[in-house]
Amino acid sequence: MKNQKMYEADDQMISLIRDNYNILQSLGSFGLSLGFGDKTVRQVCDEQNVDCYTFLIVVNFTINGYTDFDDQERLSLPTLLHYLKASHDYYLGFQLPFIRKELESALDENDNLARLILKLYDEYAHEIRLHMGYEEKNVFPYVEGLLNNQSTINYDIDTFSKHHGQVDKKLKELKNIIIKYLPSDDMHNNQLTATLYDIYNNEDWLMQHSEVEDHIFIPAIRRLEQKSKQNDVSAKISNMISQAPDKTEALSDREKDVIISLVQGMSNKEIADHLCISTNTVITHRRNIARKLQIHSPAGLTIYAIVNNLVDLSSVKL
């Protein structure tokens, strides 16, 4: 059952942990250490150089599924990337080997079914390593390139998103076998029960990790890709114009008004009504604009208007 409380920067960090002990591992992935006393979430994050806004987005999502945060531009992708990488390190370097040791301790390796359980777990662990290894080799470097304004032509986040799924078939099979296999003696029964509990907890953790990628990380990368494409288009247009010889006559203010109206999709009649002039005068202005700029198409005028700051790039559909 999800905790419906929304945690904020001025809440005490100890309250957040006390109410939701299962996010303890997330603290480590963000690089937050324990021993913070009665300090607020903001104070702890500021002192340990973690972006507080991004931390709370992930925490509130994993606790209660909240995704409607107010300012997506404030999300720190470097912080989120660090969190995901550290989560991989935790799961691959600690949690998978830890459960393997628990299984070895609880099972009799001379028993055929016990060997099958270990084999299934090793296959599951191998799939997880491949899954996370793909992200570390392809996705994370791609995002780092975007952050450094180095785009990759043959890759985008949708390529990752289409193939991003939960690797859990073998884990479900493993849990079913363990539940049916519980030995009769109390010691092994308790050991297997504890191991099974850890497997369920880690299955929940892995699902949360995947959902953070699906609902926070991937949308954030899509926004970054769009911004990168717009910046690239703007740079190319500016470069094209700067290389062209400047032999054009200066436009009058009225001619600039006509260009803006044209870029906004108005007809000659609509421009005339908007500027309180006759349609014939609009046509005359358009002839003069074409002569001065040597631009005759709406697309060409749109480019001119963007480069010369007559209209904003974000308001133009590219």
Side-chain angles (χ1 to χ4, degrees):
M1 183 175 179
K2 291 186 179 296
N3 180 352
Q4 296 304 315
K5 174 176 171 53
M6 295 301 303
Y7 291 92
E8 299 178 355
D10 293 327
D11 288 328
Q12 287 185 320
M13 183 69 87
I14 186 64
S15 298
L16 194 156
I17 303 302
R18 186 172 55 235
D19 296 345
N20 310 277
Y21 66 87
N22 57 341
I23 70 160
L24 276 169
Q25 189 277 321
S26 294
L27 292 183
S29 293
F30 274 106
L32 293 172
S33 301
L34 300 179
F36 35 69
D38 293 322
K39 293 175 182 174
T40 65
V41 173
R42 190 197 317 277
Q43 289 172 325
V44 174
C45 288
D46 288 348
E47 288 179 3
Q48 301 191 37
N49 298 314
V50 172
D51 183 75
C52 182
Y53 187 78
T54 304
F55 171 74
L56 284 172
I57 284 175
V58 173
V59 164
N60 281 316
F61 174 74
T62 55
I63 290 174
N64 54 39
Y66 180 77
T67 57
D68 190 23
F69 40 95
D70 55 3
D71 189 354
Q72 297 177 343
E73 295 301 321
R74 286 178 60 192
L75 180 74
S76 169
L77 269 173
T79 299
L80 188 57
L81 201 56
H82 177 275
Y83 165 79
L84 294 175
K85 285 182 176 181
S87 295
H88 282 195
D89 291 342
Y90 163 79
Y91 200 78
L92 298 178
F94 173 75
Q95 203 58 41
L96 284 179
F98 176 77
I99 294 179
R100 181 63 157 80
K101 289 179 181 178
E102 282 190 307
L103 285 172
E104 289 175 356
S105 176
L107 296 169
D108 178 5
E109 291 193 43
N110 294 317
D111 183 276
N112 288 335
L113 192 51
R115 287 198 296 271
L116 175 60
I117 288 174
L118 290 173
K119 182 175 182 293
L120 276 174
Y121 182 78
D122 289 341
E123 290 175 353
Y124 162 73
H126 177 68
E127 287 188 5
I128 291 293
R129 293 185 189 280
L130 288 178
H131 179 85
M132 291 186 173
Y134 171 83
E135 295 178 13
E136 292 169 359
K137 182 180 178 181
N138 297 282
V139 183
F140 295 161
Y142 167 70
V143 173
E144 289 168 344
L146 283 177
L147 290 171
N148 293 318
N149 297 317
Q150 299 170 351
S151 60
T152 302
I153 297 175
N154 296 323
Y155 195 83
D156 58 36
I157 200 62
D158 283 334
T159 302
F160 165 62
S161 179
K162 289 173 184 175
H163 300 91
H164 185 234
Q166 189 71 24
V167 185
D168 60 359
K169 288 184 179 179
K170 284 188 171 61
L171 191 62
K172 288 179 180 177
E173 185 177 355
L174 174 66
K175 290 186 300 183
N176 287 336
I177 290 177
I178 291 177
I179 291 170
K180 296 175 182 178
Y181 176 68
L182 284 175
S184 56
D185 63 286
D186 291 341
M187 184 187 75
H188 287 87
N189 195 331
N190 290 337
Q191 285 180 311
L192 264 182
T193 300
T195 303
L196 186 62
Y197 184 79
D198 285 342
I199 290 174
Y200 271 101
N201 279 340
N202 280 278
E203 184 181 26
D204 289 342
W205 178 90
L206 199 60
M207 184 180 300
Q208 284 183 349
H209 175 81
S210 181
E211 289 178 346
V212 167
E213 291 181 326
D214 285 339
H215 298 285
I216 299 176
F217 180 64
I218 290 175
I221 304 309
R222 285 200 182 105
R223 290 193 297 274
L224 182 61
E225 285 176 337
Q226 184 61 32
K227 187 181 295 183
S228 177
K229 288 176 183 177
Q230 286 186 342
N231 290 341
D232 187 50
V233 169
S234 182
K236 287 179 179 178
I237 292 173
S238 298
N239 184 56
M240 177 185 69
I241 297 299
S242 66
Q243 292 177 359
D246 186 12
K247 297 180 180 178
T248 59
E249 297 179 44
L251 295 177
S252 68
D253 289 341
R254 181 60 80 192
E255 287 166 343
K256 290 178 183 178
D257 291 338
V258 170
I259 290 177
I260 293 170
S261 300
L262 286 169
V263 169
Q264 292 174 342
M266 294 186 190
S267 66
N268 288 343
K269 174 86 168 50
E270 289 171 332
I271 295 172
D273 293 340
H274 177 65
L275 299 179
C276 299
I277 57 179
S278 69
T279 303
N280 287 337
T281 302
V282 173
I283 294 171
T284 300
H285 282 314
R286 292 190 63 170
R287 287 200 194 103
N288 290 337
I289 291 168
R291 176 179 56 79
K292 290 180 179 181
L293 301 181
Q294 291 301 301
I295 297 174
H296 303 275
S297 68
L301 288 175
T302 300
I303 291 174
Y304 175 86
I306 292 171
V307 172
N308 288 277
N309 298 316
L310 298 181
V311 296
D312 186 76
L313 176 61
S314 62
S315 67
V316 178
K317 220 172 198 181
L318 298 175

